[in-house]
Amino acid sequence: VAIMADERLTGDSLHERVIDMLSKIGEWSGYEAKKSYAAEPKSPYIIDVVWLQGDEIDVAIEVHDGGNETEAKDRLRQALRFGARKVIVVSVPNAITRLRSISRFEAELKNWLEIWSVGRVYQMYRNGYEFYREFRPFRRRQRSDDITEYL
C-alpha cells in the first residue's frame, strides 16, 4: 500500500514500482541500471533489472509478485550464464517458500541466488533516498569564492 502511494515512484503496478526502486538503488550504488534487459539479443528471456559495470552484468534482478516462480528462476539462471556475478529475486512474502524450494536443487543457481522481500527493498529505497538526497551536494566538485557550509 505504501509503495503504491509513494509519489516518487513510477509505474502503475507493484511490479513496475519495485523495478523503479531497484533501478534507483542500483544508480545510487554506482551502477548503470537497465530495466527490461536482454542479456543476449536472441534470448527469449528479459530480465527485469540489471546493474551493469561497464558492459558486464554485475547483478541481475527479477521481481516476482505473482505468477510462475519457475520463470523467474529460469531468467536468473540465464543471467548467470551470461556472466552475472549475483542474481536476486525480489518477492512477495507468500511466494518465498516456493522460490526457495524450486531453487534449492539448481546447482548453478543456488550458490549465487539471494531472495529479497518487497518490503526490504522498499526500506532500502526509503533509506537510500534520504541518504543520497543529503549526500549528493557533498559529491559535487565545485569551486566557491567563499567557504561552503551545510548546516
Side-chain angles (χ1 to χ4, degrees):
V1 177
I3 294 170
M4 296 307 291
D6 193 320
E7 295 178 3
R8 299 170 297 198
L9 297 171
T10 61
D12 296 329
S13 68
L14 177 64
H15 190 262
E16 291 171 353
R17 286 172 171 253
V18 172
I19 289 171
D20 192 44
M21 285 188 286
L22 291 163
S23 181
K24 289 174 182 171
I25 291 167
E27 289 171 3
W28 295 332
S29 300
Y31 291 102
E32 179 183 357
K34 298 268 186 179
K35 300 175 183 178
S36 300
Y37 185 81
E40 160 67 32
K42 294 180 182 178
S43 172
Y45 295 112
I46 302 295
I47 301 165
D48 285 332
V49 182
V50 295
W51 296 347
L52 302 172
Q53 280 192 324
D55 293 334
E56 302 293 318
I57 301 172
D58 200 45
V59 180
I61 309 169
E62 272 299 304
V63 176
H64 180 74
D65 61 333
N68 188 342
E69 291 92 355
T70 303
E71 264 186 53
K73 175 189 64 85
D74 290 345
R75 286 186 184 126
L76 294 175
R77 191 174 54 221
Q78 179 86 0
L80 276 175
R81 287 187 188 132
F82 286 103
R85 176 188 64 82
K86 178 188 276 196
V87 291
I88 300 166
V89 63
V90 175
S91 180
V92 291
N94 61 349
I96 290 174
T97 301
R98 170 97 171 118
L99 282 162
R100 189 180 316 115
S101 70
I102 65 171
S103 301
R104 176 171 284 130
F105 300 105
E106 293 279 341
E108 66 181 292
L109 179 64
K110 76 174 188 176
N111 296 322
W112 304 103
L113 177 67
E114 292 182 5
I115 299 174
W116 296 359
S117 72
V118 169
R120 187 57 170 277
V121 170
Y122 188 52
Q123 183 179 10
M124 281 192 290
Y125 168 76
R126 284 191 340 250
N127 292 339
Y129 179 85
E130 293 301 320
F131 174 78
Y132 283 102
R133 184 179 59 152
E134 297 295 326
F135 182 70
R136 211 168 265 122
F138 294 109
R139 293 192 65 177
R140 267 185 286 192
R141 182 178 174 171
Q142 61 188 21
R143 184 188 176 286
S144 177
D145 289 333
D146 206 351
I147 297 171
T148 303
E149 295 179 1
Y150 296 96
L151 307 173

